[in-house]
Amino acid sequence: MNASLSYAASPPLALPLRWFLSVPVFGALAGGWLLWAGPAVMAGRWQPQALAYVHLLALGVLLSAMLGALIQLLPVLVGAPLRRAAPIAAGVQALLLPGIVLFAGGLGTGAAPLVRFGSALLLCALLVYAAAALPAWWRSPRSGESARTIGWAGLSFLIAAALGFTLAAGHGWAGVPLLRRLTDLHAGWALIGWVGLLVAAVAWQVVPMFSITAPYPRWLRTTLAPTVVTALGLASLDAGWPLSDWLRHAGALAAS
């Protein structure tokens, strides 16, 4: 287990640490929002206050932690270091952090311009990150269950992000329909496909090493990720994504 880790390729501690330091800040912001909004946060899942609270946690805490962890996981677990990791990390954070604040603020106050501007910053940040991470993963040997599971997690993240921006368009543009039926799919792809599989990819390697136990069963390591993604894909098809809805979205965005 230990021999397969590429410690020499590990980036400087400052690179993932800068992401982890933003996690308690957004945790505090989410707590402050909860105190300010009060019972309205729990009044219903579609309440603006609830949407803001959830996205401060999901984007500010979970996404920041996972993107920061990937900067270290890709080179150490997969042998796929990001090129120019330091300027990329700085640039992505410069876009991502204000994007999260503006986006959550727009959802919480119903200010569509904030949603649009925040969404644009988030999209730019994720595109820059993906442009660095995907080629690094593709250049790697991609051997072992951890590397393959990270690939499945990345696919889940791209789908979750696409669904998220589709929903954001419904909040930010008056002419775009808000497809609330995609909300559960967005949450499923993000929490089960992205977060769950990324945690599993690390667990395959780390849990047996630190707990000094036998590796997870091979059948579990090889089948969990494709099974999860297949199940989420079937659930997405069952929910139905009519082409007409996507065409209406595109037309409304173009018209606005």
Side-chain angles (χ1 to χ4, degrees):
M1 285 287 178
N2 196 39
S4 63
L5 298 177
S6 303
Y7 292 113
S10 181
L13 177 62
L15 287 186
L17 183 61
R18 65 185 301 155
W19 293 85
F20 299 149
L21 289 177
S22 68
V23 169
V25 174
F26 277 103
L29 284 176
W33 178 265
L34 184 61
L35 289 173
W36 179 81
V41 173
M42 303 301 175
R45 64 185 302 193
W46 308 119
Q47 293 296 317
Q49 296 86 348
L51 292 174
Y53 177 67
V54 166
H55 285 86
L56 282 172
L57 291 177
L59 298 177
V61 175
L62 278 179
L63 183 62
S64 294
M66 301 306 251
L67 293 183
L70 263 182
I71 292 178
Q72 191 167 39
L73 291 177
L74 284 173
V76 175
L77 273 183
V78 187
L82 273 65
R83 294 177 178 174
R84 299 174 57 85
I88 286 172
V92 170
Q93 274 201 306
L95 294 168
L96 186 73
L97 300 187
I100 295 171
V101 173
L102 292 174
F103 181 68
L107 290 177
T109 61
L114 291 182
V115 173
R116 292 196 293 268
F117 191 31
S119 298
L121 291 177
L122 291 172
L123 179 60
C124 292
L126 296 180
L127 287 176
V128 171
Y129 194 97
L134 290 178
W137 181 84
W138 188 257
R139 289 192 304 268
S140 73
R142 300 194 298 282
S143 60
E145 289 81 10
S146 290
R148 287 190 286 271
T149 304
I150 287 177
W152 287 109
L155 174 62
S156 300
F157 175 72
L158 293 176
I159 296 173
L163 291 168
F165 285 116
T166 300
L167 290 165
H171 286 281
W173 280 267
V176 177
L178 179 57
L179 304 179
R180 292 183 188 254
R181 70 172 184 275
L182 301 183
T183 302
D184 290 342
L185 295 176
H186 170 56
W189 282 103
L191 295 177
I192 302 173
W194 161 241
V195 176
L197 291 182
L198 196 56
V199 170
V202 178
W204 302 152
Q205 188 74 42
V206 171
V207 172
M209 184 173 67
F210 285 104
S211 300
I212 316 177
T213 58
Y216 285 92
R218 182 172 178 80
W219 66 266
L220 178 63
R221 289 178 282 146
T222 56
T223 61
L224 177 66
T227 300
V228 167
V229 171
T230 300
L232 289 170
L234 291 175
S236 301
L237 292 176
D238 183 62
W241 293 352
L243 179 61
S244 58
D245 284 341
W246 293 97
L247 292 176
R248 282 199 298 272
H249 263 68
L253 284 173
S256 62

